[in-house]
Amino acid sequence: MEDEALISDNETALSNDDLMAKFEAVFDDMPEASDNSEQADEHVEETPVEDESAETPSEPEDAIFEIDGEQVPLSELRNRMMMRADYQRKTQELSEQRKVYQEAQFDKNQLRLEAIQGIEALKQQMAIEFRQMEQPDWDYLVENDPAEFQRQQYIWGKREAAVRQMYDAEVALREQATAYEAEQQKLELEASQTRLLEKYPELRDRSTATQALGEMSELLGSYGFNQQDVNGLSDHRVISLIYDYQKLLKAQKAIPAVVQKMEQKPVISQKQNSPKTSDAYTRDFNKFNKSRNGNDAISLISRLL
């Protein structure tokens, strides 16, 4: 850029055109902005950018944790947690599928029962109609009107086939309804058994459970229940009540034996001081009472200890 002022003492003021020409000349001499930016970038040190995706420090893979007295590595602990989560997920999915299945089976059984009721009503109606109908004289038709005989035979055969078909359908529906009821009783028994074992873990032992069931059966038999009544019990609440009552009876029966055993034990008598010890204490006490000496007090306290 030239070192001359726009207006000097010896020169006149420049016109607007001259000023614009000077400004354009100045801008033409300046380097491009992109070049400046490239040059500036050459002198700027790159600042390392932190990787946000980098994982945060975690426990080392060889870390050991103590769980219920067992030394478990971190990797195995993770595997256990993943397996447990997967098991819980699958169990929940299975439970939901079982619930949907049970609802569908319930609906089907309701339709089955409605069909059985419809068949019962139809049977009553057909029985009334059959009583009002008179069978043709088959012997007469055979000898005198074979064509009518065949026609009537066809009509009656068709009616009998409909009756047989209805009877077979009823039998099949009742068998399916019986199977459904048996399945529901089995499921209720399994659910009741699960709740019972959760409340009384000692019954998980086979020998303990067998003994408890025998005692409860004997108890129910004393109240007039037969074996069929006992086998029909499935409600865990009723079984819990019987089991608690049976344990209470056993505890009451054991009380007299415990009391008798305690009475047979020798009575623990209080230790009596020998006459010699009693006389020594009396002598030391009288001595301290007269002298009020510290040594005599120590002797008396030692005698007490």
Side-chain angles (χ1 to χ4, degrees), residues 164-231:
R164 286 194 300 269
Q165 184 179 4
M166 181 177 60
Y167 173 78
D168 293 340
E170 181 184 10
V171 171
L173 289 173
R174 290 192 181 277
E175 289 178 352
Q176 293 174 3
T178 302
Y180 173 78
E181 293 296 333
E183 182 183 3
Q184 293 304 307
Q185 290 180 0
K186 181 181 178 180
L187 293 176
E188 291 177 1
L189 185 62
E190 292 176 354
S192 178
Q193 183 180 7
T194 301
R195 295 189 181 97
L196 194 66
L197 294 178
E198 290 176 354
K199 187 175 182 181
Y200 306 103
E202 68 273 12
L203 295 180
R204 297 182 184 274
D205 182 70
R206 183 177 295 274
S207 59
T208 304
T210 302
Q211 181 180 357
L213 290 175
E215 293 174 350
M216 288 190 290
S217 299
E218 184 179 354
L219 174 63
L220 292 174
S222 65
Y223 282 89
F225 290 87
N226 55 33
Q227 191 62 36
Q228 184 177 0
D229 297 332
V230 175
N231 294 336

Side-chain angles (χ1 to χ4, degrees), residues 42-278:
E42 293 178 356
H43 300 284
V44 176
E45 296 182 359
E46 295 184 357
T47 304
V49 180
E50 296 183 358
D51 187 3
E52 297 181 355
S53 62
E55 296 182 356
T56 56
S58 58
E59 294 289 341
E61 289 295 332
D62 57 349
I64 303 297
F65 296 89
E66 184 175 352
I67 301 177
D68 296 334
E70 180 184 3
Q71 302 293 329
V72 182
L74 177 60
S75 58
E76 183 178 350
L77 183 61
R78 287 177 177 173
N79 292 334
R80 291 185 183 181
M81 294 176 65
M82 293 176 62
M83 292 176 60
R84 182 176 181 181
D86 185 62
Y87 173 77
Q88 291 178 348
R89 179 181 59 80
K90 292 182 178 179
T91 302
Q92 185 177 0
E93 292 178 356
L94 181 61
S95 178
E96 293 175 355
Q97 294 175 1
R98 185 177 300 171
K99 182 179 179 181
V100 173
Y101 170 78
Q102 288 298 324
E103 292 176 352
Q105 292 298 315
F106 177 80
D107 294 338
K108 289 175 61 175
N109 189 65
Q110 291 298 113
L111 295 175
R112 193 180 296 124
L113 296 178
E114 292 177 2
I116 292 175
Q117 293 177 357
I119 291 176
E120 288 292 336
L122 184 59
K123 285 169 57 178
Q124 295 178 2
Q125 182 180 356
M126 292 181 65
I128 296 174
E129 293 179 357
F130 270 90
R131 283 196 299 267
Q132 294 175 355
M133 294 175 61
E134 294 182 2
Q135 290 194 25
D137 189 348
W138 299 108
D139 295 335
Y140 175 81
L141 292 176
V142 169
E143 296 178 358
N144 300 288
D145 194 351
E148 184 64 20
F149 171 80
Q150 293 180 358
R151 192 177 73 87
Q152 291 294 333
Q153 190 179 34
Y154 172 77
I155 294 174
W156 281 88
K158 190 175 182 180
R159 290 171 180 171
E160 290 176 354
V163 172
R164 286 194 300 269
Q165 184 179 4
M166 181 177 60
Y167 173 78
D168 293 340
E170 181 184 10
V171 171
L173 289 173
R174 290 192 181 277
E175 289 178 352
Q176 293 174 3
T178 302
Y180 173 78
E181 293 296 333
E183 182 183 3
Q184 293 304 307
Q185 290 180 0
K186 181 181 178 180
L187 293 176
E188 291 177 1
L189 185 62
E190 292 176 354
S192 178
Q193 183 180 7
T194 301
R195 295 189 181 97
L196 194 66
L197 294 178
E198 290 176 354
K199 187 175 182 181
Y200 306 103
E202 68 273 12
L203 295 180
R204 297 182 184 274
D205 182 70
R206 183 177 295 274
S207 59
T208 304
T210 302
Q211 181 180 357
L213 290 175
E215 293 174 350
M216 288 190 290
S217 299
E218 184 179 354
L219 174 63
L220 292 174
S222 65
Y223 282 89
F225 290 87
N226 55 33
Q227 191 62 36
Q228 184 177 0
D229 297 332
V230 175
N231 294 336
L233 292 175
S234 60
D235 193 336
H236 68 97
R237 297 170 298 181
V238 177
I239 299 176
S240 298
L241 181 62
I242 299 172
Y243 184 56
D244 289 339
Y245 183 60
Q246 175 63 25
K247 291 193 297 184
L248 178 62
L249 291 179
K250 289 180 64 175
Q252 290 180 347
K253 291 179 181 179
I255 290 176
V258 174
V259 173
Q260 183 179 5
K261 188 175 181 180
M262 293 179 63
E263 290 177 348
Q264 292 176 356
K265 290 184 177 181
V267 180
I268 300 176
S269 58
Q270 185 177 2
K271 183 178 179 181
Q272 300 292 333
N273 293 330
S274 63
K276 181 182 296 185
T277 305
S278 179

